[in-house]
Amino acid sequence: MPGRAAHETLWAQGDPTRKLDEFDDDLRPAAVLLALYSHSHSHSDSHSPGSAAERDSFRIPLIERPASMPHHAGQVGLPGGAVKSGETPEATALREASEEIGLEPARVEILGRLSPIPVQVSRFRIDVFVGWIDGTPQLVPDPHEVAALVLADPDDLTERGATRVVRRERLGLVLDVPAYEIAGLEVWGATGFILAEFCWVWRGLA
């Protein structure tokens, strides 16, 4: 996995505290699911005005978290959460995706894992699973955990890269943090790092 090289494209300039390849012993285990599915839609055929042709593209479901959440309120992330006692991180990712967006675990084929991410604010170590969904899923967000469902196009993200800058304060420093723009929303932090690594891999498959 490209790991650090990909993550650095989303690092804030001048942030000496960011260490994405070092993990404290007290970080709690968590897991997220980056699900991918084929999305067919019509577009105009330039050779035959007025006609439509089918073109395949792909989508990644993300969620906008409610403003009432204790951690990462209002931010955009991947379905996921804390690992329960006796549960594997993979099972956690699938369970959380089922609870948060109604994605049936049986429909997900786990393809592999991306690099884990330490999150200092909430003290989690996030394991990232990439899953393929055969067909277009009927996603039903849980209104208690999801303010909005956000669908990202990996081809668009890979082509455009991080086009926004979010100004954040960290340990007394004011930092300009690179961010993706998805459906008018800014995606940065742990989710931005995950998407950056996925896009790095995705570019290699194109």
Side-chain angles (χ1 to χ4, degrees):
M1 291 294 100
R4 183 185 179 94
H7 296 158
E8 285 181 343
T9 65
L10 267 287
W11 282 13
Q13 293 295 319
D15 183 359
T17 66
R18 176 62 73 184
K19 297 178 181 178
L20 285 175
D21 47 8
E22 296 182 12
F23 296 85
D24 297 333
D25 293 337
D26 64 340
L27 294 181
R28 296 172 293 166
V32 299
L33 179 69
L34 190 156
L36 183 71
Y37 65 90
S38 179
H39 172 77
S40 297
H41 61 92
S42 299
H43 67 96
S44 298
D45 185 342
S46 59
H47 298 290
S48 303
S51 68
E54 288 299 314
R55 177 172 68 89
D56 283 338
S57 60
F58 299 88
R59 293 293 182 269
I60 299 169
L62 299 106
I63 56 175
E64 182 183 6
R65 300 212 173 267
S68 59
M69 297 284 286
H71 296 294
H72 313 295
Q75 295 181 17
V76 178
L78 292 159
V83 176
K84 293 183 177 180
S85 178
E87 190 176 49
T88 66
E90 179 178 323
T92 297
L94 293 172
R95 173 181 55 77
E96 289 283 350
S98 175
E99 294 174 357
E100 292 183 339
I101 62 174
L103 179 58
E104 299 176 19
R107 295 198 60 180
V108 182
E109 177 188 357
I110 298 297
L111 302 179
R113 301 167 75 150
L114 297 177
S115 301
I117 302 287
V119 182
Q120 300 300 331
V121 174
S122 52
R123 304 303 294 166
F124 279 114
R125 169 203 161 104
I126 302 177
D127 282 312
V128 185
F129 294 86
V130 178
W132 170 254
I133 307 168
D134 190 18
T136 301
Q138 296 297 316
L139 302 177
V140 182
D142 179 348
H144 298 291
E145 298 193 70
V146 180
L149 182 67
V150 182
L151 299 180
D153 180 342
D155 291 315
D156 182 56
L157 291 180
T158 301
E159 180 180 351
R160 291 191 298 115
T163 58
R164 292 277 194 99
V165 173
V166 179
R167 182 151 289 184
R168 304 292 295 177
E169 184 175 342
R170 181 178 172 87
L171 300 178
L173 298 174
V174 177
L175 303 169
D176 289 334
V177 182
Y180 291 103
E181 179 186 354
I182 304 174
L185 299 171
E186 295 164 338
V187 184
W188 49 280
T191 304
F193 295 133
I194 293 168
L195 291 176
E197 184 172 29
F198 179 79
C199 287
W200 193 297
V201 176
W202 190 251
R203 184 184 297 112
L205 298 174

